Amino acid sequence: MNIVPADLRSSFSLPPGKAVEICHKLEAAILQHRLRPGMKLAEDEVGDTFGVSRTVARTALQALAHGGLVTIERNRGAFVSRPTIREAHEVFEARALIEPRIARMAARNMTPDGLAVLQHHIDAEHEITERGDMGLALSQSGAFHLAIAEIADQAVLTQILHTLISRSSLIIALYWRRRDTSCESHSHHALLKAFAARNESAAEEIMKSHMVDLHSGLDLVERGDSEPSLADVFGRIDL
Amino acid sequence: MNIVPADLRSSFSLPPGKAVEICHKLEAAILQHRLRPGMKLAEDEVGDTFGVSRTVARTALQALAHGGLVTIERNRGAFVSRPTIREAHEVFEARALIEPRIARMAARNMTPDGLAVLQHHIDAEHEITERGDMGLALSQSGAFHLAIAEIADQAVLTQILHTLISRSSLIIALYWRRRDTSCESHSHHALLKAFAARNESAAEEIMKSHMVDLHSGLDLVERGDSEPSLADVFGRIDL
DNA sequence: AACGTCAATATCGTATACAATCCGTGTTCA
DNA sequence: TGAACACGGATTGTATACGATATTGACGTT
């Protein structure tokens, strides 16, 4: 079976030509945690991988950098971003501000078609979760939130939310502590129910608490080093 | 005297090297309405103007495109964006959602230094308004709002607000109908007072109504043509 | 053995060159 | 006269080439 999350379509200002596709592919890979935070994305390597020149690869990387998924350091190159704990808090606070409003608007605009789309997302998410592909499930979850924004029909907020959700994915890759995503699934069902009833206040409230849940599901406490120590990566070695 | 609005510093993902400066200069020019919405920004022209190659000019334009100030059409080039009426509403609704929250946070964090910075902005704005340079005054007003966000110390929201304010400037260039900016000035003073008192709720409320004022100061009704007619530009000629 | 210096290499920043696309003009034909 | 077409100029899309900068490893010194 071939369930792929509706790709989190990149912003309004599309980079020209081939760069768009590369953007989307890199974005998908990052969102699914196939490219982990901190990984180097060398221009030559990206270019070779996708069969384009460095120019195009560069354009794609710069576009991703504007979305916050990639960090470019001068004369050093591009890396998959590693959000700080501070930034993690800010991103989820921003989502907690924006998404309840979006949910309310979506509830107001909801149509049978919209409901069907959301239901489809939930089904896909469920099936992926069964298969245990955590990265894909997360990506799918993001697509669900974004679909709501599209139904709300607010291009500006949708664009903003898109970048926030992308960054959330990185944050979760770094700081998620729970094993299960049942809370996620439960909230999404509850949201769908509110949407079906076109209950604006309920949708807003559920989304608000969903945001709190997500935020509190993170393990955002300062570790010894801000950079992950070698021991974190390889485990401690007794000499 | 040399009062220049603290430049609305571009996002986190700085384009490399010289492109940053070009970005800032173009941004300033657009925000001050020296480059009007719809104007063509040819890569060669930009490059020649700033003494760099097309490559760098291109990078700068793409960066501005990500901020929404510039629109790039494939194979046609870059233009100063012309926000639609729809987008205008969305931008100001988004600001109305975000800025009151930012004002509240700023009030909470306010320090004597912060107050001094804001006071400085207000003074500058006042002086510029006296001189009658509408574009510069507007740019200065944006800088004031952004300064609040920086005091609120929320990088993520500040970044978002930055793009919203930039776009607001374009919107105002297209749709502003009032002659005066006294309401602007009044609101800013009121905000400063709330900040001085560290009155969070007052700051939030004043900002909220300030947003409503700004939004309602726009003339957002459909005109006959979306494109400005020649008559609009040259005046009507009786044959 | 540890540290600092220096060269080699890899990667990025910028400039230039070529290919593809679009737009306006002028011509041709109905 | 008007519409369709073809051509030429201009501008963007992409590739490549060269210069600048940072990192890595070797070497010599303390």
Side-chain angles (χ1 to χ4, degrees):
Chain A
M1 181 162 293
N2 204 353
I3 293 182
V4 176
D7 46 20
L8 304 176
R9 189 138 264 107
S10 257
S11 33
F12 42 86
S13 87
L14 320 174
K18 304 182 185 175
V20 206
E21 307 169 23
I22 299 176
C23 264
H24 287 157
K25 284 176 180 164
L26 285 176
E27 184 178 354
I30 295 173
L31 261 46
Q32 295 168 21
H33 299 175
R34 302 195 51 235
L35 292 171
R36 307 260 322 163
M39 275 192 179
K40 177 79 189 282
L41 300 173
E43 295 177 356
D44 271 323
E45 198 182 339
V46 174
D48 292 348
T49 303
F50 294 100
V52 296
S53 81
R54 210 155 66 80
T55 311
V56 178
R58 198 178 165 76
T59 301
L61 290 172
Q62 286 173 348
L64 290 174
H66 281 111
L69 246 57
V70 156
T71 300
I72 295 176
E73 296 177 30
R74 165 134 193 168
N75 277 320
R76 293 199 6 96
F79 305 82
V80 179
S81 295
R82 303 185 83 263
T84 63
I85 291 176
R86 168 87 189 267
E87 187 181 339
H89 280 297
E90 289 194 15
V91 165
F92 276 93
E93 279 164 22
R95 287 186 64 176
L97 174 64
I98 291 172
E99 293 215 52
R101 167 74 62 98
I102 285 178
R104 171 176 283 276
M105 289 168 160
R108 184 177 312 162
N109 286 8
M110 192 56 63
T111 64
D113 277 1
L115 279 176
V117 169
L118 293 182
Q119 181 67 59
H120 178 77
H121 276 281
I122 288 183
D123 293 344
E125 191 179 349
H126 183 67
E127 206 236 320
I128 292 169
T129 303
E130 292 280 300
R131 289 214 312 267
D133 188 336
M134 177 70 181
L136 246 173
L138 190 69
S139 165
Q140 179 63 53
S141 167
F144 176 77
H145 283 255
L146 212 58
I148 294 173
E150 263 155 32
I151 290 168
D153 200 26
Q154 293 279 321
V156 170
L157 286 181
T158 300
Q159 147 73 9
I160 292 170
L161 185 61
H162 175 88
T163 78
L164 291 177
I165 288 176
S166 297
R167 297 211 243 171
S168 296
S169 178
L170 291 177
I171 292 166
I172 289 171
L174 287 171
Y175 303 114
W176 190 249
R177 69 174 161 202
R178 298 216 192 105
R179 299 290 154 266
D180 65 290
T181 52
S182 63
C183 136
E184 186 86 350
S185 170
H186 175 70
S187 295
H188 288 187
H189 273 104
L191 272 169
L192 194 71
K193 210 171 144 192
F195 286 138
R198 299 190 55 173
N199 186 332
E200 299 179 21
S201 300
E204 184 173 350
E205 283 304 317
I206 293 168
M207 184 62 91
K208 194 184 290 183
S209 69
H210 183 36
M211 287 298 117
V212 173
D213 284 348
L214 281 179
H215 196 157
S216 68
L218 299 173
D219 191 19
L220 298 178
V221 292
E222 289 292 348
R223 292 294 191 290
D225 310 293
S226 61
E227 289 293 297
S229 72
L230 274 178
D232 286 336
V233 177
F234 294 107
R236 184 162 303 282
I237 299 174
D238 294 319
L239 297 179
Chain B
M1 182 161 292
N2 203 351
I3 294 184
V4 175
D7 46 21
L8 304 175
R9 189 137 265 107
S10 257
S11 29
F12 41 87
S13 86
L14 320 175
K18 304 181 186 177
V20 206
E21 304 170 26
I22 298 177
C23 264
H24 287 155
K25 284 176 180 163
L26 285 177
E27 184 178 353
I30 295 173
L31 261 46
Q32 294 169 22
H33 300 174
R34 303 195 53 234
L35 293 170
R36 306 259 323 162
M39 276 193 179
K40 178 79 190 283
L41 299 173
E43 295 177 355
D44 269 325
E45 199 183 337
V46 173
D48 291 349
T49 303
F50 295 101
V52 296
S53 82
R54 211 157 63 82
T55 312
V56 178
R58 199 178 163 76
T59 301
L61 290 172
Q62 287 173 348
L64 290 173
H66 281 110
L69 247 57
V70 156
T71 301
I72 295 176
E73 296 177 30
R74 164 135 193 163
N75 278 321
R76 292 198 6 97
F79 305 82
V80 179
S81 296
R82 302 185 84 261
T84 63
I85 290 177
R86 168 87 190 268
E87 188 182 337
H89 281 297
E90 290 194 14
V91 165
F92 276 94
E93 280 165 20
R95 287 186 63 176
L97 174 64
I98 292 172
E99 292 214 52
R101 167 74 62 97
I102 287 178
R104 171 176 282 274
M105 288 168 161
R108 183 176 313 162
N109 286 8
M110 192 56 63
T111 64
D113 276 2
L115 279 176
V117 168
L118 293 182
Q119 182 67 59
H120 177 76
H121 277 280
I122 288 183
D123 292 344
E125 191 179 349
H126 182 68
E127 205 235 321
I128 291 168
T129 303
E130 293 280 300
R131 289 212 313 266
D133 188 336
M134 178 68 183
L136 210 70
L138 190 70
S139 165
Q140 179 64 53
S141 166
F144 176 76
H145 283 254
L146 212 58
I148 294 173
E150 262 155 32
I151 290 168
D153 201 25
Q154 294 277 321
V156 170
L157 286 180
T158 300
Q159 147 73 9
I160 291 171
L161 185 61
H162 176 87
T163 78
L164 291 176
I165 287 176
S166 296
R167 298 211 241 171
S168 297
S169 177
L170 291 176
I171 292 165
I172 288 171
L174 287 171
Y175 303 115
W176 191 249
R177 71 174 160 202
R178 298 217 193 103
R179 300 287 154 270
D180 65 291
T181 52
S182 63
C183 135
E184 186 85 352
S185 170
H186 175 69
S187 295
H188 288 187
H189 273 103
L191 272 169
L192 194 70
K193 209 171 143 194
F195 287 139
R198 299 191 55 174
N199 185 334
E200 299 180 21
S201 300
E204 183 173 351
E205 284 304 316
I206 293 168
M207 184 62 90
K208 193 184 290 181
S209 68
H210 183 35
M211 288 296 118
V212 172
D213 285 348
L214 281 179
H215 196 158
S216 69
L218 299 173
D219 191 18
L220 298 177
V221 293
E222 291 292 348
R223 289 295 190 292
D225 311 291
S226 59
E227 289 294 297
S229 72
L230 272 180
D232 287 336
V233 176
F234 294 109
R236 184 162 305 281
I237 300 175
D238 293 319
L239 296 178

